[in-house]
């Protein structure tokens, strides 16, 4: 299936290549560069490119292009999903998925790639199994390795591959047994000019960090499971239990993983926690415009809205902006025309406001459209959909684990049209 | 030797690098030595990796060694080694295709494998080596369907794609013929209901879905919940290609969910939705707003979303959509704005109600400042006017004025064509336009030049008095143009319109030729022709056939013999103890197999049993409808010297084996000292009864409590299980008496099956009673709630309002237990229980009576 993989950085250098079958010449990437040039923007590089002898399927993650070479028909999502899994694994192993991290750990990278694909077909992609095979780098281990000349390769047999719960490694032992669940909800919304909601939905995930000894069998129940409109599960979850009882029952992988992701789409359920008042105008036949934006809290259930950041892609004709912020600080990048306003926390008593003059290129026509405002924010200790974890029970092990649930609401793709 | 050392030792690249010279000649010998040593290692992981490394060596000399190793590994006891054998098949095949026949034999053998580890890999090998050998799949079809949920995600994708192809060759089409017509013409909506019913009935009579076809659809459905986008897409395309049209809708929700993922996934999913939404608008209409465009989306995503929005447009939502489109037209991303204008044009042609509105909107855009927007509007207006040959003189005049300012060639050409085509409607302007363009002729783009020539010719024919000279001037310019296309066209036009002695018969018809009624261009989706590719494939994405693309065949007119998929006992092979008799009849075979077969039949004893319990016909064990929270006391803390124990029935089927009732025991320490080593001893069980104890609890802290699970096989009797609950220094006699309602496992079955089964369990096997029902208990919901709380029964869908049916089977022997509650006049009800186990039946009757009569 997957023949080769090239990693390419933003400046177009191929800094790593791996072939699972025969070697494919680097020149195949020229087709990719061609497409990249045509696309101008990195975001617009088509993920699937056809060349005379091969097909290139690529993803763009953390300023790196993962370009895979395919020779025959294959579901493109299969490859895309796998490449993202590779990037996730790097992230997991090295803490970041960057060119430097990959170059620093090039041996481990090759070892990982060798285990993840066998003859182009995915073999071991579960992080728990991989970690059994290849130990993640730590400072101590790399020092020891450089002295003794040993490698990161695990010296125990990876028995996880054989079990019917391949996502959990055997013989896990902790002195403190802990299970944490983060319920993270993101609001995707489009707000129109007049402030009414065009579209809104909640995308939620439950990320877990589970450090429990042995083979715990957990079941997590919600106060209001009916809220969850559409759910996707980690393979560890017993689907039948969910279908019949709406209880998440599972033997968890060890460590961090995403338990479920879900969607709450009924529009009237979505409370929009902030509102934006805006006045952006460009004068006809003059090289300036006015900009005035206020952000305020709304329906936030008594919680503070914090981490508020507004980014605006200004029209090309904008030369510079002369603004004053009553709170936080703003920057305007005249090259990419992006205005960023870091507001911080919103206090209802004194609403943050950003106001001033926009300087336009002289002679340029007045921009047709006002830019849309992209808002980010965060609300701690609140799941905006109202989802609540009821209880977590553990079977199969005898100790008493420490349990914790955290709720966060964030802005996802939150856009205000002006 | 450790696992890794093996790899190191065997890896040819490393060996060679270590030696720093070309060692390829010595290679086979080395390989043979090392491989043979490791390939027989007692540890399965070492055997597996030895095979993996051996098969990764791309040296033709070792083909025979490889073949031998694969054959051996394919019958290895360890499924992991067999999985690696399946991987090795592809490697050997690419190294030496001559081995195909032998490899197919191995594939055939491995396809029979029952392990979920192997399934994905062997199907992958099958697809690579012999995708046309559909016959190898028949016998394994049902098994693959049933294993699917437990296969790892990558394997799932491959198997689903293969099964899609398989199903298209084996089953008849579930799509009703007339449905296609209905989808397209909305007029049928007003058809009288009776007519509709008649039609439906006709279809129902002619088509029944093959149970195997249904099995595939049912077993893939849960995978829509997968976290892996590729799996979700694979199921979606399976439903698209195989499910009855009314069922395909269930995939839309999951596909829309994928849109929250990263841009690459979005791109592929949107493409597939675009193709789907052309044919079946209804599937995605409820999710219209999920396709609204954000200014931060990459252009390729924006255009795809726009495409889908256009496909979904209909009379009901068009006004909302046009308002949304207005925002897009003003987008800073001009390429996208242009695409929006195209989309508006398409909406205008498809939905006649809004054509005029759209046209007006587009005309307004003509005064836009951005040239690309104006140009695109001109092109679209041109197409619209052509489809609407009404009087649009004003618009044409307006556009003629624009000609002075617009520089985009396509737009100029479009305007010129329009003026030429409708020159009789604007008799004053047309010659003037020709005059102006004649002046600039030499500086125009080729596209524009051609249209100037065209305009000249048309005017010459209709208004030769005013334009004769001008046209000749233009023709002269064209004669010496650099482009041979222009020269060619000039010569052609001159011969046709200017009559001279040499010109043939054609010039008589010049007017008819030039001013013929032209067919209006069809504004249609670029995804229109993609549906002949299987969705979710690379070929679909590229819209061209990729190497190795396997065509999805059309439904056969008549289904091939379905009995080829029957598996007889002898052929079960490797682990023949599983799955008892399903050769008896085809109908029941499939349904029996899918009775969530996990452990249900693993016990070899069930072989003898299953003959008896023929009642498995089309019923399957379902998850409990409700789980009672009521707990029973096992040991009071006073009599237990501070140790208290409670139990309740968790109704989880088959945790400890299929005949055990699972009991959850909560032990609490109410003393202020630790209680150590809590365990079970001295079971005094009636004959036949068995018990699966919980693991001893080492230590229970003061005020602590622990919940443990145990299983008891009550042998379908209400006798109590007595045993001793012991601690380190004490013991207590306790016993568990099960309510008969807990000795059951709910099954789901259709009303029809229920009646059929009930018909066979009459006379001696039937007990009934008339009871008074409390008035508040007479609604359906309350009855169901009360009954399933009292006994672990499954609800059978009922066609009548006053009859409620429940079905279950006994945990031990699997005998059916059918409960009917029939509400009568004056708040009485008839309670009927049909079962072979008459004793339990009558006890259950007694227990259910008060449940319904009490408030």
């Amino acid at each position: 299936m997957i023949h080769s993989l090239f990693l390419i950085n933003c400046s177009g250098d191929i800094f790593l290549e791996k072939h699972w079958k025969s070697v494919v010449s680097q020149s195949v990437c020229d087709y990719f560069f061609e497409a990249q040039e045509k696309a101008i923007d990195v975001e617009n590089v088509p993920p699937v490119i056809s060349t005379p002898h091969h097909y290139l399927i690529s993803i763009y993650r953390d300023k790196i292009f993962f370009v895979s070479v395919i020779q025959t028909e294959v579901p493109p999502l299969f490859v895309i999903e796998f490449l993202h899994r590779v990037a996730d694994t790097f992230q997991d192993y090295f803490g970041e998925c960057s060119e430097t991290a990959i170059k620093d750990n090039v041996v481990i990278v090759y070892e990982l790639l060798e285990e993840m694909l066998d003859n182009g077909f995915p073999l071991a992609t579960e992080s728990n199994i991989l970690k059994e095979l290849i130990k993640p780098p730590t400072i101590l281990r790399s020092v020891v390795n450089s002295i003794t000349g040993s490698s990161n390769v695990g010296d125990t047999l990876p028995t996880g591959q054989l079990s019917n719960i391949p996502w959990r490694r055997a013989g896990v032992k902790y002195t403190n047994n802990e299970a944490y669940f983060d319920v993270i909800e993101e609001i995707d919304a489009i707000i129109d000019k007049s402030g009414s909601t065009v579209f809104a939905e909640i995308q939620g995930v439950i990320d877990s960090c589970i450090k429990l000894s042995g083979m715990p069998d957990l079941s997590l129940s919600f106060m209001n499971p009916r809220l969850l409109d559409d759910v996707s599960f980690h393979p560890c979850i017993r689907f039948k239990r969910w279908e019949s009882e709406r209880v998440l029952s599972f033997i968890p992988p060890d460590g961090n993983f995403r338990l479920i992701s879900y969607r709450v789409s009924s529009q009237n359920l979505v409370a929009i926690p902030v509102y934006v008042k805006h006045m952006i105008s460009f004068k006809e036949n003059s090289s300036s415009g006015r900009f005035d934006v206020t952000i305020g809290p709304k329906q936030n259930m008594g919680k503070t809205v914090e981490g508020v950041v507004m980014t605006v892609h200004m029209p090309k004709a904008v030369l510079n902006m002369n603004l004053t912020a009553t709170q936080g600080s703003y920057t305007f990048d005249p090259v990419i025309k992006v205005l960023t306003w870091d507001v911080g926390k919103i206090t209802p008593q004194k609403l943050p406001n950003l106001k001033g003059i926009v300087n336009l290129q002289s002679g340029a026509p007045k921009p047709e459209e006002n830019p849309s405002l992209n808002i980010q924010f965060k609300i701690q200790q609140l799941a905006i959909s109202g989802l609540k974890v009821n209880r977590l029970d553990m079977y199969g092990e005898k100790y008493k684990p420490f349990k914790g649930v955290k709720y966060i609401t964030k802005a996802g793709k939150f856009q205000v049209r002006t | 030797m450790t696992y890794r050392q093996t790899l190191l030792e065997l890896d040819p690249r490393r060996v060679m690098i270590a030696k720093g010279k070309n060692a390829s000649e010595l290679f086979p010998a080395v390989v043979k030595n090392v491989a043979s040593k490791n390939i027989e290692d007692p540890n399965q992981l070492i055997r597996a990796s030895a095979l993996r490394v051996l098969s990764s060596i791309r040296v033709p000399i070792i083909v025979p060694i490889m073949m031998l190793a694969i054959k051996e590994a394919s019958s290895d006891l360890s499924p992991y080694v067999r999985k690696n054998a399946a991987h090795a098949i592809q490697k050997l095949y690419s190294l030496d295709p001559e081995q195909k026949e032998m490899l197919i034999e191995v594939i055939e053998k491995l396809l029979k494998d029952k392990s979920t580890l192997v399934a994905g890999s062997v199907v992958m090998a099958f697809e690579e080596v012999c995708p046309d050998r559909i016959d190898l799949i028949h016998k394994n079809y049902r098994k693959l369907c049933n294993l699917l949920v437990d296969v790892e995600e990558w394997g799932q994708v491959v198997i689903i794609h293969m099964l899609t192809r398989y199903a298209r060759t084996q089953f008849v089409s579930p799509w009703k013929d007339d449905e296609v017509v209905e989808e397209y013409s909305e007029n049928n909506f007003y058809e009288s209901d009776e007519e509709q019913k008649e039609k439906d009935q006709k279809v129902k009579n002619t088509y029944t879905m093959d149970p195997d076809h249904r099995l595939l659809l049912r077993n893939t459905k849960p995978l829509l919940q997968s976290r892996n986008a590729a799996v979700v897409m694979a199921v979606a395309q399976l439903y698209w290609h195989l499910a009855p049209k009314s069922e395909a809708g269930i995939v839309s929700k999951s596909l829309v969910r994928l849109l929250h993922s990263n841009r690459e996934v979005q791109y592929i999913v949107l493409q597939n939705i675009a193709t789907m939404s052309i044919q079946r608008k209804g599937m995605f209409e409820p999710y219209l707003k999920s396709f609204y465009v954000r200014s931060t989306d990459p252009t390729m995503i924006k255009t795809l979303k726009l495409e889908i929005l256009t496909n979904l447009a209909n009379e009901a939502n068009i006004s909302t959509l046009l308002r949304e489109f207005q925002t897009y037209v003003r987008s800073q991303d001009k390429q996208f704005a242009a695409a929006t204008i195209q989309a508006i044009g398409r909406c205008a042609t498809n939905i006649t109600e809004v054509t005029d509105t759209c046209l007006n909107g587009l005309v307004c855009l003509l005064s836009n400042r951005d040239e690309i927007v104006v140009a695109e509007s001109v092109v679209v207006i041109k197409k619209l006017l052509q489809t609407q040959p009404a009087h649009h003189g004003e618009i044409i005049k307006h556009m003629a004025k624009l000609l002075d300012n617009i520089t985009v060639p396509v737009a100029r050409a479009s305007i010129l064509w329009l003026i030429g085509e409708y020159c009789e409607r604007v008799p004053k302007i047309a010659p003037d336009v020709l005059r102006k363009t004649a002046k600039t002729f030499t500086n125009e783009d080729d596209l524009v030049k051609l249209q100037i020539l065209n305009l000249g010719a048309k005017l010459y024919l209709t208004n030769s008095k005013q334009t004769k000279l001008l046209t000749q001037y233009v023709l002269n310019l064209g004669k010496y143009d650099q482009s041979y296309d222009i020269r060619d066209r000039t010569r052609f036009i001159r011969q046709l319109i200017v009559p001279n002695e040499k010109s043939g018969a054609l010039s008589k018809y010049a007017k008819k030729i030039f001013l013929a009624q032209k067919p209006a261009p069809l504004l249609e989706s670029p995804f229109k022709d993609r549906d002949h590719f299987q969705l979710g494939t690379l070929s679909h994405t590229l819209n061209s056939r990729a190497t190795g693309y396997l065509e999805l065949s059309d439904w056969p007119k008549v289904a091939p013999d379905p009995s080829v998929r029957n598996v007889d006992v002898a052929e079960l092979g490797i682990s023949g103890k599983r799955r008892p008799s399903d050769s008896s009849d085809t109908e029941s075979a499939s349904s029996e197999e899918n009775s969530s077969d996990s452990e249900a039949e693993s016990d070899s004893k069930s072989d003898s049993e299953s003959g008896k319990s023929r009642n498995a016909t089309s019923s399957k064990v379902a998850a409990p409808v409700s789980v009672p929270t009521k707990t029973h006391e096992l040991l009071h803390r006073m009599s237990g010297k501070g140790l208290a124990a409670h139990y309740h029935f968790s109704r989880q089927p088959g945790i400890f084996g299929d005949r055990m009732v699972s009991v959850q025991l909560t032990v609490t320490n109410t003393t202020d000292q630790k209680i150590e080593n809590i365990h079970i001893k001295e079971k005094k069980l009636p004959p036949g009864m068995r018990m699966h104890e919980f693991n001893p609890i080492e230590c229970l802290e003061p005020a602590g409590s622990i919940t443990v699970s145990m299983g008891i096989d009550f042998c379908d009797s209400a006798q109590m299980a007595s045993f001793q609950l012991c601690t380190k220094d004490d013991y207590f006699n306790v016993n568990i008496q099960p309510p008969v309602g807990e000795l059951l496992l709910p099954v789901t079955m259709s009303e029809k099956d229920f009646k059929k089964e009930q018909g066979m369990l009459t006379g001696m096997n039937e007990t009934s009673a008339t009871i008074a029902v409390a008035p508040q208990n007479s609604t359906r919901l309350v009855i169901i709630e009360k009954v399933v709380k009292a006994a672990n029964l499954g609800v059978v869908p009922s066609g009548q309002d006053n009859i409620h049916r429940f079905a279950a089977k006994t945990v031990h022997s699997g005998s059916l237990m059918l409960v009917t509650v029939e509400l009568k006049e004056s708040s009485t009800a008839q309670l009927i229980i049909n079962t072979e186990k008459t004793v339990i039946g009558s006890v259950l009757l007694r227990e259910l009576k008060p449940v319904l009569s009490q408030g």
Side-chain angles (χ1 to χ4, degrees), chain B residues 454-466:
Chain B
N454 246 341
L455 174 65
K458 283 174 187 166
L459 281 177
Y460 187 93
L461 291 171
T462 54
N463 185 4
S464 60
K465 215 196 265 171
Q466 270 185 302

Side-chain angles (χ1 to χ4, degrees), chain A residues 1 18 20-22 42-50 55 57-61 65 70-78 80-82 84-85 111 114-115 117-119 121-123 125-126 133-134 153-155 157-159 161-162 186 188-190 193 198-199 201 203 229-235 239-241 244-245 261 263 267 284 313-316 365-366 368-372 374 394-395 398 400 413-415 417-418, chain B residues 2-4 7 43-46 52 56 58 78 80 83-84 87 90-91 117 120-121 124 128 152-155 157-158 161 222 225-230 233 253-254 256-269 287 289-290 292-296 298-300 324 327-328 330-332 334 368-370 536-539 541-542 545-549 596 623-625 627 652 664 695-698 705-707 709:
Chain A
M1 288 197 145
K18 163 84 188 148
W20 282 274
K21 298 180 183 177
S22 51
V42 281
E43 290 266 272
N44 275 320
V45 180
V48 182
I49 300 168
S50 170
Y55 305 98
I57 299 185
S58 63
I59 65 161
Y60 180 68
R61 270 278 288 262
F65 281 105
I70 312 291
Q71 273 187 323
T72 53
E73 171 66 54
V74 63
L77 273 183
F78 185 99
I80 288 170
E81 190 77 11
F82 176 79
H84 276 291
R85 209 57 76 78
E111 282 168 345
E114 185 63 40
E115 288 302 332
L117 275 187
D118 182 20
N119 195 38
F121 189 75
L123 188 64
T125 50
E126 281 297 336
L133 285 165
I134 302 150
V153 169
D155 42 16
L157 288 164
T159 42
Q161 264 169 318
L162 308 173
E186 292 190 352
D188 285 359
I190 301 177
K193 221 181 247 183
V198 177
F199 165 76
E201 64 175 18
Q203 299 274 358
D229 191 23
D230 182 29
V231 194
S232 76
F233 298 118
H234 189 275
F239 183 70
K240 291 242 165 74
R241 274 294 293 280
S244 58
E245 295 167 53
S261 39
R263 202 162 61 105
Q267 201 168 127
E284 196 73 53
H313 291 259
M314 298 303 286
K316 294 212 173 59
K366 168 185 125 135
E368 288 279 327
E369 190 201 24
N370 284 339
S372 348
N374 297 300
M394 188 179 74
Y395 307 98
K398 288 176 211 100
K400 261 208 147 160
K413 296 171 186 161
F414 195 96
Q415 197 159 78
R417 291 177 180 165
T418 61
Chain B
T2 67
Y3 161 75
R4 271 287 154 167
L7 280 186
N43 189 311
Q44 46 179 338
L45 286 158
I46 295 193
R52 195 176 147 202
S56 298
R58 277 181 291 271
S78 150
Y80 185 65
K83 179 190 177 76
N84 277 280
H87 281 245
Q90 303 168 53
K91 299 184 206 171
L117 269 179
S121 305
M124 188 64 225
E128 200 106 323
E152 40 86 38
E153 40 197 1
W154 310 111
V157 179
V158 177
H161 274 271
Q225 247 76 44
S226 172
R227 62 167 172 174
N228 189 319
M233 189 66 234
K253 198 193 261 184
S254 307
V256 171
R257 183 186 71 226
L258 296 184
L259 297 183
H260 191 63
S261 191
N262 39 58
R263 76 173 177 109
E264 295 88 5
V265 174
Q266 279 187 46
Y267 176 73
I268 305 287
V269 172
Y287 304 98
K289 289 191 169 169
S290 301
Y292 278 10
V293 173
R294 291 184 170 76
S295 62
T296 39
T299 310
M300 60 176 186
E324 183 70 15
T327 324
Y328 302 165
R330 279 181 282 129
S331 163
Q332 291 173 36
K334 291 305 166 203
N368 195 292
R369 212 174 271 117
D370 192 272
T537 59
L538 185 62
S539 305
T541 300
L542 295 169
R545 175 180 272 276
T547 341
Y549 174 74
S596 67
V625 184
V627 177
Q652 285 168 318
Q664 257 175 19
N695 295 332
I697 302 167
E698 271 165 27
S705 91
I706 275 184
T707 303
S709 303

Side-chain angles (χ1 to χ4, degrees), chain B residues 59-82:
Chain B
V59 181
I61 316 171
I62 63 159
V63 165
I65 306 178
M66 236 154 116
M67 191 70 222
L68 219 69
I70 291 174
K71 273 191 173 164
E72 201 145 298
S74 69
S75 42
D76 198 291
L77 277 178
S78 150
Y80 185 65
V81 177
R82 298 202 296 274

Side-chain angles (χ1 to χ4, degrees), chain A residues 27 106 198 323 406:
Chain A
S27 61
V106 77
V198 177
L323 309 171
K406 195 167 85 180

